[in-house]
Amino acid sequence: MSNSSSITHFLLLPFTDTRELQLLHFWLFLGIYLAALLGNGLIITTIACDQHLHTPMYFFLLNLSLLDLGFISTTLPKSMANSLGDTRSISYTGCAAQLFSFAFLAVAEYCLLTVMSYDRYVAICKPLHYGTLLGSRACVHMAAAAWATGFLCALLHTANTFSLPLCKGNAVDQFFCEIPQILKLSCSHSYLREVELMVVSACLAFGCFIFTLFSYVQILRAVLRIPSEQGRHKAFSTCLPHLAVVSLFVSTCMFTYLKPPSISSPSLDLVASVLYSVVPPAVNPLIYSMRNQELKDALRKLMAGFLSKALNFPCSACHS
């Protein structure tokens, strides 16, 4: 293929060429996808319906669940459809849309996780100023800034990537379209513009990482100064889920993009991409619900109310 104008579709990297394993991959990803939809959907519904959860921390968690739903829906449905239909193809437009959506949601989620670390920092280290620094308007502005940053970065990267001439075929060494794999198909040194843009984005990401790290160092110092064991436990219970989510997201992304070329291979890249594109959205609801008693109580009350209406009998737990 001489240039990008002659490319009408791309060929994605399959997990396997064996038909039985393709079907196994389909059912496995379907189970993960349904679990992610259910988990994130329950968190969104619970936070939206329970007035006690209309606080900054849960407002940001609701946004995170929305991003996770979009994030996992960008890659899994197409991969499952390809496995079920025994095909590798994705249209040129579909690839561009997938790349844009993935970049948009990944950057927005990373920015939102940074905002959530600031929320925990203010709650633990400056509790008397929490209502002032994180009022409803400030929360909306910070969440909107995270979404807008993701949109702007994705727009720039997608426009820049697909403006490059592609002359090295149409086979993408990944199970979805992402920037590094498309750049491998570009001609000569024309991809350097996008690399420069990625370096700027990486510097911004590193700045967010340092801010999050600083926030948690301050949080740890503040928690260790709390005299009561119950107070320390409560503080840790609100911070540990977020720290676990950040660690999972950042570590899998760093492994994928910063691992040395000497250990790189298509199969390893495939596994690494699943770790950062599929695992976080699927396990984030579990991480948050395991340690958060307030969220578990609200979810239990929501389910009790739903069952009482479905079975048409009064529910005392719904009004407690």
Side-chain angles (χ1 to χ4, degrees):
M1 303 221 173
S2 58
N3 54 55
S4 56
S5 63
S6 61
I7 295 178
T8 58
H9 68 281
F10 292 93
L11 298 176
L12 300 175
L13 186 66
F15 281 88
T16 178
D17 293 323
T18 307
R19 187 58 186 158
E20 290 76 12
L21 292 178
Q22 286 178 340
L23 293 175
L24 177 63
H25 157 247
F26 168 79
W27 288 111
L28 178 62
F29 267 21
L30 179 62
I32 294 172
Y33 186 55
L34 291 177
L37 291 181
L38 178 63
N40 286 291
L42 282 174
I43 285 180
I44 292 168
T45 306
T46 303
I47 294 173
C49 293
D50 196 311
Q51 293 289 333
H52 297 97
L53 300 183
H54 290 182
T55 62
M57 183 178 79
Y58 292 107
F59 170 73
F60 294 132
L61 179 55
L62 184 146
N63 277 268
L64 180 66
S65 292
L66 285 172
L67 286 169
D68 279 339
L69 281 178
F71 197 48
I72 199 167
S73 296
T74 299
T75 56
L76 281 201
K78 180 59 181 173
S79 180
M80 289 188 295
N82 281 3
S83 290
L84 195 61
D86 193 18
T87 180
R88 299 173 52 193
S89 180
I90 183 172
S91 68
Y92 186 91
T93 305
C95 184
Q98 191 178 61
L99 187 147
F100 172 81
S101 300
F102 187 82
F104 165 42
L105 295 163
V107 173
E109 178 156 337
Y110 188 64
C111 291
L112 186 68
L113 289 172
T114 305
V115 170
M116 292 173 77
S117 70
Y118 174 70
D119 166 70
R120 291 299 83 208
Y121 165 75
V122 175
I124 303 296
C125 301
K126 300 180 182 293
L128 297 179
H129 302 284
Y130 189 70
T132 305
L133 295 174
L134 284 156
S136 57
R137 181 175 295 183
C139 290
V140 170
H141 287 170
M142 285 188 281
W147 286 81
T149 302
F151 181 83
L152 181 61
C153 285
L155 191 63
L156 290 173
H157 281 296
T158 305
N160 207 23
T161 300
F162 282 91
S163 67
L164 301 174
L166 307 177
C167 58
K168 296 181 181 178
N170 66 341
V172 178
D173 289 334
Q174 188 55 277
F175 79 97
F176 62 93
C177 292
E178 64 173 352
I179 295 168
Q181 305 304 330
I182 301 297
L183 291 182
K184 290 180 181 179
L185 306 179
S186 63
C187 308
S188 63
H189 298 292
S190 57
Y191 66 89
L192 290 178
R193 289 178 302 164
E194 175 59 21
V195 171
E196 291 169 359
L197 188 57
M198 289 184 73
V199 169
V200 173
S201 299
C203 291
L204 293 174
F206 183 71
C208 290
F209 176 73
I210 294 298
F211 180 85
T212 302
L213 189 63
F214 171 79
S215 298
Y216 271 96
V217 169
Q218 296 301 110
I219 288 170
L220 183 62
R221 291 175 60 186
V223 169
L224 292 177
R225 288 198 297 265
I226 296 176
S228 70
E229 185 177 344
Q230 185 178 1
R232 286 196 299 271
H233 176 75
K234 184 177 180 181
F236 273 126
S237 69
T238 61
C239 294
L240 286 179
H242 176 255
L243 186 59
V245 168
V246 172
S247 301
L248 179 65
F249 188 77
V250 172
S251 61
T252 51
C253 286
M254 287 178 66
F255 175 78
T256 301
Y257 292 110
L258 300 181
K259 67 180 183 298
S262 58
I263 66 168
S264 183
S265 68
S267 57
L268 183 61
D269 291 345
L270 204 58
V271 172
S273 64
V274 170
L275 286 177
Y276 77 83
S277 65
V278 175
V279 174
V283 302
N284 282 356
L286 185 63
I287 291 173
Y288 272 102
S289 61
M290 273 196 311
R291 299 278 308 183
N292 193 314
Q293 188 61 43
E294 194 174 22
L295 185 60
K296 285 194 286 189
D297 290 342
L299 181 58
R300 195 177 297 116
K301 188 164 66 173
L302 179 72
M303 295 303 294
F306 173 77
L307 288 173
S308 69
K309 289 180 180 178
L311 300 175
N312 198 25
F313 63 83
C315 171
S316 57
C318 306
H319 307 291
S320 57

